[in-house]
């Protein structure tokens, strides 16, 4: 038995799709403006069968994973030191804050000028966006550690290594995951923007290709894939957040 | 005495970091890279900014066009987002039916919608405003939702014991209690709205800060590119701070609570 909430959600989605299908079939003669869901699905199938889908999806995922994983390592490392040592925080803060406040879209042209139109520039875009978000949140987590835990660490005479890995980092973990969640959404935007601007593979490229050739079923397929990617990564991170920090109420969206 | 010297050293650390970073940037640009299409010195950027602001004054039309789109998008997002957020908070049925669509729209990278909107509306003002709107509406909606939902039960009970009608319960208690949340949502929306402006102006615009940046990027005109990016950053920071001030003014009791 499904919960009431889930049942209503499913009803809403199916009713919406059915309405979309019926309206587009009845009212529109050509599919240029809004293709019905059935033809979007057919295009999705065709793209999958020709292997095009695989190529673009893998390119974007590869860029994303490379950038994200390096950003996690660097972000946590820098964030840790920013939280631990005030002088380091003071030195880094003006630059990190500036980087953080520039809209994602505005610095993509720089990255492309400096690192070319290949995959490297996209990896760097993802890296920059995620690393800054994780850095700021890790630093906040390390700074806001509960002093009783530090006292505990002292009274147990933990050595600095244990102090770092058993007390400070676990305490900052929920903050780190929040940083990752904030980073994911922006990084996804960044990678798509970079691919739109200059690339030869990836979902952003597909989006540009579809919109320039007025191929609206393909355009909608791309939007659908991006929605899937966004929702997938968001749910994954949210699950991780709930698991790592069950005492914190996480955002519903 | 020792301690105060040390304090001065600590507070100087930030400006020193900024200054030495700029010097490093200048050295890198003039001695190492030495290629105006890759990196220019901060001095050149400042000179260009001065020129665009006071000499040729050609920054203003772009600034004006972008602010206009931004403002319209923000206002539309507030007008639409706040009532929907309230409705979702007050009625579980509305929430359950709207939720899946909202999650889908919210988690999809916004740029994916830009080509679709341009397909529907063309490249005129309406399309740009809608793109900005899509960026801003969710933080506002979500914050209104939370604001309305977390209104303390005590407030509502006070209202009930004064036998307020439903209308005045809403106007006198629920609405004022959720104002700080709505303003926090607006604050979050500023950054997303600016990104929306840049995206909107990238696709087929002839003026605006986004246009300026993309034009400069494609013609490798780095001074203008730097100026454009800096203006974006400054606008983001200003908008954020402005809304923080408004937040303090609109809900003075929060600050009092903090002081106590």
């Amino acid at each position: 038995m499904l919960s009431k909430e889930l049942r209503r959600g499913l009803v809403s989605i199916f009713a919406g799709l059915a309405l979309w299908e019926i309206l587009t079939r009845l009212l529109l003669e050509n599919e240029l403006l809004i293709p019905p869901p059935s033809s979007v699905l057919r295009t999705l199938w065709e793209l999958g069968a020709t292997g095009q889908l695989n190529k673009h999806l893998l390119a974007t995922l590869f860029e994303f994973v490379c950038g994200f994983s390096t950003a996690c390592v660097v972000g946590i490392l820098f964030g840790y030191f920013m939280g631990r040592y005030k002088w380091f925080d003071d030195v880094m803060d003006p630059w990190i804050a500036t980087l953080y406040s520039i809209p994602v879209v505005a610095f993509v042209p720089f990255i492309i000028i400096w690192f070319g139109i290949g995959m490297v520039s996209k990896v760097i875009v993802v890296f920059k966006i995620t690393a800054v978000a994780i850095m700021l949140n890790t630093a906040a987590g390390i700074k806001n550690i509960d002093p009783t835990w530090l006292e505990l660490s002292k009274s147990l005479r933990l050595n600095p290594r244990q102090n770092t890995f058993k007390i400070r980092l676990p305490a900052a973990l929920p903050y780190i995951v929040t940083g990752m969640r904030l980073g994911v959404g922006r990084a996804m935007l960044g990678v798509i923007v970079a691919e739109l601007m200059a690339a030869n593979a990836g979902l952003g490229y597909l989006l540009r290709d579809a919109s320039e050739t007025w191929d609206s079923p393909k355009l909608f397929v791309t939007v659908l894939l991006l929605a899937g990617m966004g929702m997938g990564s968001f749910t994954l991170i949210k699950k991780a957040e709930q698991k790592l920090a069950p005492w914190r109420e996480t955002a519903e969206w | 005495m020792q301690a105060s010297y040390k304090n001065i050293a600590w507070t100087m650390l930030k400006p020193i970091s900024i200054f030495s970073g700029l010097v490093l940037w200048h050295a890198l640009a003039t001695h190492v890279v030495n290629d105006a299409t890759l990196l220019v010195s901060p001095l050149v950027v400042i000179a260009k900014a001065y020129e665009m602001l006071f000499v040729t004054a050609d920054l203003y039309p772009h600034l004006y066009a972008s602010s206009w789109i931004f403002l319209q998008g923000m206002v539309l997002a507030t007008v639409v987002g706040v009532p929907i957020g309230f409705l979702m908070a007050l009625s579980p049925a509305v929430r359950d039916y709207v939720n899946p669509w909202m999650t889908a729209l919210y988690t999809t990278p916004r740029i994916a919608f830009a080509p679709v909107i341009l397909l529907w509306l063309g490249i005129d003002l309406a399309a740009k405003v809608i793109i900005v709107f899509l960026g801003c509406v969710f933080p506002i909606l979500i914050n209104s939702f939370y604001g309305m939902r977390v209104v303390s039960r005590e407030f509502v009970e006070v209202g009930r014991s004064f036998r307020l009608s439903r209308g005045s319960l809403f106007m006198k208690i629920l609405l004022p209690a959720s104002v700080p949340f709505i303003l926090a949502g607006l604050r979050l929306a500023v950054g997303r709205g600016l990104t929306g402006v840049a995206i909107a102006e990238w696709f087929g615009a002839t003026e605006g800060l986004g246009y300026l940046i993309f034009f400069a990027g494609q013609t490798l005109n780095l001074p203008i590119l730097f100026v454009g990016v800096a203006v974006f950053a400054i606008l983001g920071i200003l908008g954020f701070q402005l809304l923080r001030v408004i937040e303090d003014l609109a809900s003075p009791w929060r600050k009092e609570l903090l002081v106590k």
Side-chain angles (χ1 to χ4, degrees):
Chain A
M1 193 60 208
L2 295 168
S3 73
K4 196 173 170 192
E5 204 183 320
L6 200 64
R7 208 170 57 231
R8 280 174 168 171
L10 287 174
V11 166
S12 168
I13 287 178
F14 280 111
L17 287 178
L19 196 69
W20 176 7
E21 176 84 35
I22 292 166
L23 282 181
T24 44
R25 295 251 167 221
L26 285 181
L27 298 178
L28 294 171
E29 289 114 46
N30 68 22
E31 298 188 347
L32 183 62
L33 279 183
I34 310 177
S38 56
S39 76
V40 173
L41 276 179
R42 201 173 52 238
T43 314
L44 178 67
W45 178 255
E46 280 163 12
L47 281 175
T50 55
Q52 251 192 307
L53 188 68
N54 251 331
K55 179 185 152 205
H56 295 300
L57 203 59
L58 280 180
T60 301
L61 277 179
F62 178 77
E63 288 156 4
F64 194 79
V65 169
C66 282
F68 194 78
S69 46
T70 35
C72 285
V73 175
V74 174
I76 292 172
L77 201 70
F78 274 67
Y80 176 76
F81 285 112
M82 279 168 71
R84 268 314 281 284
Y85 304 107
K86 186 154 186 322
W87 64 269
F88 192 62
D89 193 32
D90 282 344
V91 169
M92 295 294 286
D93 188 60
W95 301 101
I96 299 292
T98 313
L99 276 183
Y100 193 66
S101 57
I102 297 173
V104 175
V105 193
F107 66 81
V108 173
F110 281 113
I111 309 278
I112 288 180
I113 289 177
W114 289 333
F115 299 99
I117 64 166
M119 277 192 172
V120 181
S121 55
K122 281 87 190 177
V123 173
I124 289 174
V125 168
V126 174
F127 170 79
K128 179 260 155 193
I129 296 169
T130 332
V132 168
I134 294 177
M135 225 178 271
L136 287 173
N137 277 280
T138 309
I142 299 279
K143 277 181 211 159
N144 290 336
I145 188 171
D146 188 343
T148 46
W149 291 8
L150 294 180
E151 276 166 28
L152 174 74
S153 144
K154 238 181 225 162
S155 53
L156 289 175
R157 298 192 185 216
L158 295 184
N159 60 33
R161 214 183 113 112
Q162 288 169 319
N163 183 27
T164 301
F165 286 101
K166 304 247 157 167
I167 304 276
R168 286 182 198 265
L169 279 180
L173 202 56
Y175 288 84
I176 296 173
V177 183
T178 306
M180 289 179 187
R181 180 162 56 85
L182 294 175
V184 162
R186 288 169 58 124
M188 194 130 352
L189 179 70
V191 77
I192 303 302
V193 168
E195 284 175 352
L196 259 169
M197 222 175 265
N200 43 31
L203 290 177
Y205 171 79
L206 200 64
L207 196 70
R208 181 185 181 139
D209 186 44
S211 73
E212 278 177 356
T213 54
W214 296 84
D215 187 345
S216 51
K218 199 162 149 193
L219 184 62
F220 274 74
V221 166
T222 319
V223 174
L224 206 68
L225 287 173
L226 288 171
M229 254 178 92
M231 274 163 86
S233 56
F234 186 77
T235 326
L236 216 66
I237 294 267
K238 210 167 80 175
K239 282 261 150 52
E241 209 172 3
Q242 277 160 358
K243 199 156 188 153
L244 289 171
W247 61 91
R248 283 226 311 195
E249 202 190 331
T250 48
E252 216 161 299
W253 288 287
Chain B
M1 209 54 196
Q2 276 289 341
S4 71
Y5 277 128
K6 217 170 173 184
N7 271 338
I8 292 169
W10 280 120
T11 49
M12 287 303 287
L13 216 47
K14 231 175 224 183
I16 289 172
S17 166
I18 297 175
F19 184 73
S20 48
L22 289 175
V23 169
L24 199 70
W25 175 5
H26 178 78
L28 203 66
T30 49
H31 296 288
V32 184
V33 178
N34 209 3
D35 178 353
T37 59
L38 278 180
L39 192 67
V40 291
S41 150
L43 295 176
V44 178
V45 177
I46 292 168
K48 187 78 203 170
Y50 179 81
E51 185 194 316
M52 289 177 82
L53 279 173
F54 302 111
V55 182
T56 56
D58 50 6
L59 187 66
Y60 297 112
H62 297 297
L63 200 58
Y64 177 75
S66 291
S67 331
W68 187 228
I69 296 169
F70 177 74
L71 271 182
Q72 281 184 304
M74 276 292 258
V75 169
L76 192 64
T78 316
V79 171
V80 173
V82 173
I84 295 182
F86 281 174
L87 266 181
M88 284 174 74
L90 296 174
S91 148
V94 172
R95 189 191 67 207
D96 291 347
Y97 286 119
V98 176
N99 203 357
W101 295 99
M102 267 218 22
T103 314
L105 282 177
Y106 180 55
T107 52
T108 309
R110 277 155 292 151
I111 189 150
F113 299 118
V116 179
I117 289 164
L118 290 168
L119 187 69
W120 289 342
L121 296 175
I123 57 166
D124 61 354
L125 186 69
K128 290 180 194 125
V129 172
I130 295 285
I131 291 171
V132 177
F133 163 80
L134 271 180
C136 310
V137 72
F138 290 109
I140 297 175
L141 196 158
I142 290 167
N143 272 277
S144 320
F145 171 78
Y146 275 113
M148 186 56 68
R149 220 174 56 160
V150 302
V151 171
S152 149
R153 285 206 68 81
E154 285 168 34
F155 288 175
V156 178
E157 271 161 25
V158 169
R160 290 245 166 84
S161 52
F162 277 104
R163 293 191 184 226
L164 290 183
S165 66
R166 283 179 82 94
S168 46
L169 185 72
F170 181 81
M171 288 305 291
K172 296 230 158 98
I173 294 190
L174 293 175
L175 191 62
S178 44
V179 162
F181 286 85
I182 298 171
L183 287 171
L186 282 173
R187 192 156 46 102
L188 292 176
V190 168
R192 297 176 60 111
L194 282 175
T195 306
V197 169
I199 291 175
E201 287 172 345
W202 172 17
F203 292 94
T206 49
E207 57 178 0
L209 293 171
Y211 166 78
L212 194 71
I213 285 180
F214 292 107
F215 185 74
Q218 279 178 346
T219 53
L220 295 180
N221 192 334
L222 282 226
I224 293 190
L225 189 55
F226 271 110
V227 171
V229 170
V231 172
F232 258 116
I234 291 168
L235 282 181
I237 295 169
L238 277 184
F240 195 86
Q241 297 298 346
L242 183 73
L243 275 158
R244 179 166 278 171
V245 171
I246 295 178
E247 225 171 296
D248 286 344
L249 288 178
S251 49
W253 62 89
R254 281 185 132 195
K255 211 172 185 182
E256 278 165 27
L257 283 178
L258 281 179
V259 171
K260 278 173 195 168

